[in-house]
């Protein structure tokens, strides 16, 4: 379904409101309000600042002169009018987003009206129909009816409050962080060190500091973090790596890629994380590593897993692709084992705008190995000491994650609160067959996905989709039911993983999910379950 339309405000609209101009301010304010009500956002073009400042100051001067009947001299000085214009604009801009003036917006002097051309270019940058220029300029309105809107022309076309929900709302996050994101990206464009630029080291230092781990190595993806960790540990042909089959394919894929064999241990049915009680019997002389997954944003039983691993002298790799920021017994996910590996895939709790990931370790030698493997096994330029991969995270993506860190603690808190609220609101639906994920008391969950267990999943998903509530399944088959990995365990192995794969369903979740939208999800699910 179409998104609500945003409005870019022409200078004349801002003047109508700020001066204010009787008869013109009211329709302009009404148009702004309609846009907000429909879920759209208001924007000002950053290149309009000077025009706004001077035209508003001029308008204030003119008004002050006109206001003092019979007196020629205006009652405001030019300086006072300028200061007043700053105050008014500062107040007006509180609810407005700034649309960047890009380099391409400067080359406009060959056009009829350079200022108008800039605004039109700014609107054209956006996907068609997602933004209109709100203006009183008749020439603009008549020449560009598809890009403009007059204040009195009713609501900007948009679906309003009944639009489909986002499964993950990354747009609100981007709106909030847009200035930091743009600044970070432009910095990279300016210094031009696209590979291994300064942002790479900055991010590694920031992430090491926040997790309390000695070494953080950024890599091309979460998959690459797992692969490089296994390579640094020397896992290869004939080795066994113990993991859970109820995970994203990447966990298993990296083991098989290295010629090793995944050994599947079942999950706890209520948390969907690897059942530590089943771990020890799965260890053989060939076992080279243990790779639990902190699924949905809740850390697995790392203390128990580490204890078994220590008894057998085995390293542990936490697949923390979904759990960055989660806490376990007072410590951070990624800081709990030989290696912690996370993903910055856009939908993850800490995501970039492409692929990215990081691995964490307190072991200096393993960190060095990982750094070398990440750049084709080079210990020095063109000295390939070991076999490696092209596994670097690029500088632009590091800049994006650095910007996202500005708000990450707030987002984590919101995720915890929204998860807890879902839990409270959904609890009564357990009587209708809904199951909730168990979160253990010694840890929290950052809800990379808010996943529940439902009967008749396909029917439930279809009915929710019809109500505008998107859902997803993480994951519909355990690894040993996938053609690529079927040979590694009997089909009936790991029954809890098989059962979970048939019942799990994830609901819309993100730090910006509003209470109203969450209520809508819960009400729709209640209706659907009642009708089964
Ligand atoms: C549990 C798990 N492991 C590994 C990965 C792989 O991460 P990436 O997509 O960054 O390669 C993911 C990402 O979806 C994941 O959810």
């Amino acid at each position: 379904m179409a998104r609500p339309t945003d409005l870019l405000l022409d200078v004349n609209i801002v003047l109508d409101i700020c001066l204010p101009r009787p008869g013109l301010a009211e329709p302009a304010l009404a148009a702004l309000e309609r846009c907000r009500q429909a879920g759209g956002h208001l924007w000002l073009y950053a290149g309009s600042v000077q025009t706004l400042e001077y035209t508003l100051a001029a308008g204030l001067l003119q008004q002050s002169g006109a206001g003092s009947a019979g007196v020629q001299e205006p009652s405001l000085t030019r300086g006072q009018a300028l200061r007043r214009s700053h105050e008014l604009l500062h107040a007006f801009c509180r609810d407005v987003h700034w649309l960047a003036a890009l380099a391409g917006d400067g080359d406009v002097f060959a056009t009829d009206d350079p200022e108008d051309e800039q605004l039109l270019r700014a609107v054209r940058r956006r996907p068609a129909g997602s933004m209109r220029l709100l203006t009183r300029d008749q020439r603009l309105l008549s020449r560009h009816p598809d890009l403009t809107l007059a204040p009195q022309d009713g609501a900007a076309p948009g679906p309003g409050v009944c639009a489909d929900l986002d499964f993950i709302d990354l747009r609100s996050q981007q709106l909030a962080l847009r200035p930091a994101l743009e600044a970070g990206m432009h910095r990279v464009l300016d210094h031009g060190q696209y590979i291994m630029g300064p942002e790479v080291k900055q991010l590694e230092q920031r992430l090491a500091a926040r997790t309390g781990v000695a070494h953080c190595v950024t890599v091309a993806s979460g998959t690459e973090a797992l692969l490089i960790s296994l390579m640094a540990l020397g896992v290869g042909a004939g080795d066994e790596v113990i993991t859970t089959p109820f995970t994203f394919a990447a966990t298993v894929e990296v083991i098989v890629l290295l010629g090793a064999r995944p050994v599947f241990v079942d999950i706890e049915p209520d948390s969907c994380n690897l059942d530590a009680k089943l771990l020890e019997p799965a260890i053989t002389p060939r076992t080279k590593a243990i790779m639990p997954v902190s699924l949905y944003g809740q850390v697995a039983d790392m203390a128990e897993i580490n204890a078994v691993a220590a008894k057998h002298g085995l390293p542990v790799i936490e697949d923390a692709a979904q759990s960055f920021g989660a806490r376990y017994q007072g410590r951070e996910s990624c800081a709990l084992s030989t290696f912690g590996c996370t993903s910055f895939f856009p939908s993850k709790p800490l995501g970039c705008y492409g692929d990215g990931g990081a691995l964490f370790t307190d072991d200096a030698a393993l960190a060095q190995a990982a750094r070398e493997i990440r750049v084709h096994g080079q210990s020095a330029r063109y000295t390939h000491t070991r076999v490696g991969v092209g596994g670097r995270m690029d500088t632009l993506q590091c800049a994006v994650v650095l910007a996202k860190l500005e708000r990450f603690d707030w987002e984590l808190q919101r995720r915890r609160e929204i998860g807890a609220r879902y839990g409270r609101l959904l609890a009564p639906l357990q009587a209708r067959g809904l199951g909730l994920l168990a979160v253990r008391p010694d840890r929290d969950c950052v809800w990379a996905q808010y996943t529940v267990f439902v009967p008749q999943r396909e029917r439930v998903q279809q009915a929710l989709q019809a109500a505008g509530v998107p859902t997803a399944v993480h994951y519909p088959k355990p690894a040993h039911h996938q053609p690529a990995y079927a040979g590694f365990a009997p089909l009936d192995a790991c029954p809890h993983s098989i059962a979970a794969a048939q019942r799990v369903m994830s609901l819309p979740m993100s730090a910006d999910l509003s209470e109203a939208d969450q209520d809508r999800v819960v009400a729709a699910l209640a209706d659907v379950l009642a009708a089964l």
Side-chain angles (χ1 to χ4, degrees), residues 26 37 44 47 59 67 94 134 140 160 172 251 317 329 367 383 428-429 437 450 485 513-514:
E26 296 77 11
Q37 292 286 331
L44 276 175
R94 265 201 288 270
L134 187 71
L140 274 172
S172 300
T251 319
I317 301 170
Q329 298 183 353
T383 304
L429 301 188
L437 202 74
Y450 191 88
Y485 310 113
L513 183 67
S514 68

Side-chain angles (χ1 to χ4, degrees), residues 36-60:
R36 284 199 198 96
Q37 292 286 331
H41 295 99
L42 305 175
W43 295 81
L44 276 175
Y45 179 66
S48 295
V49 163
Q50 280 159 309
T51 315
L52 282 166
E53 178 195 28
Y54 283 101
T55 47
L56 182 55
L60 289 166

Side-chain angles (χ1 to χ4, degrees), residues 87-230:
E87 286 163 12
L88 288 167
L89 288 168
H90 182 66
F92 180 83
C93 292
R94 265 201 288 270
D95 293 335
V96 168
H97 300 279
W98 287 101
L99 194 65
L102 300 186
D105 300 348
D107 181 24
V108 286
F109 293 108
T111 63
D112 285 357
D113 188 322
E115 265 192 74
D116 287 353
E117 176 62 21
Q118 288 195 309
L119 295 173
L120 292 170
R121 283 187 190 184
V123 172
R124 282 199 194 99
R125 254 190 248 154
R126 294 271 305 247
S130 72
M131 176 180 269
R132 299 277 194 105
L133 176 65
L134 187 71
T135 183
R136 266 197 300 106
D137 185 323
Q138 285 309 325
R139 204 174 67 128
L140 274 172
L141 286 164
S142 59
R143 281 196 191 175
H144 304 281
D146 50 332
L147 301 177
T148 58
L149 188 79
Q152 66 279 7
D153 275 356
V161 287
C162 276
D164 283 359
L165 293 177
D166 289 318
F167 182 64
I168 295 177
D169 175 10
L170 287 176
R171 286 179 314 129
S172 300
Q173 183 200 50
Q174 193 194 95
L175 268 181
L177 292 173
R178 187 96 183 196
L181 287 162
E182 287 178 358
M185 290 182 182
H186 274 254
R187 233 173 271 130
V188 177
L189 291 178
D190 287 334
H191 67 54
Q193 297 176 58
Y194 310 119
I195 300 291
M196 300 308 283
E199 286 78 3
V200 177
K201 186 152 241 123
Q202 278 167 30
L203 180 62
E204 290 176 349
Q205 285 169 347
R206 291 277 299 275
L207 297 181
R210 76 169 288 135
T211 50
V213 185
H215 308 280
C216 167
V217 181
T218 55
V219 291
S221 66
T223 309
E224 213 74 5
L226 296 169
L227 180 70
I228 293 173
S229 297
L230 288 171

Side-chain angles (χ1 to χ4, degrees), residues 221-224 226 247-248 250-251 293 295 319 321-322 343-345 348 355-356 475:
S221 66
T223 309
E224 213 74 5
L226 296 169
T247 180
F248 181 59
T251 319
V293 179
L295 203 68
D319 181 343
Q322 302 183 10
S343 161
F344 302 129
F345 188 80
K348 295 290 191 261
D355 276 311
Y475 298 91

